[in-house]
Amino acid sequence: MNPADDNLRQRHCQPRRGESHRLSAEQVAAFSTQTPQWALIEDGKAIHRSFSFPDYHHTMAFVNALAWIAHREDHHPDLGVHYNRCEVRFSTHDVGGLSENDFICAAKADALL
């Protein structure tokens, strides 16, 4: 199955441990087509997006909703919370880079907007 043909927002994270679950460059490129606002960082080992909001209240509403998704999916991002923006970084520590779970959660974060 081509990962780009699948709707990531409808999927759920699965436990992923070990290098065998780390995505190849080709797989990352395919998943990236569904999460075009996210940038590859750290030599392709993580993805990042900055979300902007009009004020602190909207920023915190987004952070709380994202925290609920992270808890439900059992896949947690690194967050930088500021007055009118939130920096979000996903990587799967247990695989030493990116896994399918990172893109699933990125797509769910995008859907919050």
Side-chain angles (χ1 to χ4, degrees):
M1 172 184 6
N2 181 350
D5 294 336
D6 196 22
N7 187 341
L8 290 170
R9 288 180 291 167
Q10 303 304 315
R11 304 197 57 190
H12 293 286
C13 294
Q14 302 296 319
R16 307 209 189 267
R17 289 181 175 67
E19 292 180 12
S20 65
H21 292 285
R22 186 182 319 147
L23 298 176
S24 68
E26 294 80 19
Q27 291 170 310
V28 168
F31 281 121
S32 293
T33 63
Q34 288 193 60
T35 55
Q37 303 270 339
W38 291 78
L40 284 173
I41 59 171
E42 300 169 20
D43 295 323
K45 292 184 179 178
I47 53 175
H48 170 270
R49 180 171 178 193
S50 180
F51 293 86
S52 296
F53 303 97
D55 54 37
Y56 188 73
H57 172 77
H58 286 90
T59 303
M60 291 309 297
F62 172 82
V63 168
N64 287 327
L66 185 58
W68 181 82
I69 289 169
H71 174 73
R72 185 170 178 231
E73 296 297 332
D74 196 24
H75 192 68
H76 306 90
D78 293 325
L79 302 175
V81 180
H82 307 275
Y83 174 80
N84 64 348
R85 75 182 193 283
C86 180
E87 307 290 329
V88 183
R89 176 194 169 276
F90 279 107
S91 182
T92 304
H93 303 288
D94 288 338
V95 305
L98 290 169
S99 76
E100 187 174 346
N101 291 345
D102 300 308
F103 289 95
I104 289 170
C105 287
K108 290 176 185 280
D110 287 348
L112 291 174
L113 300 179

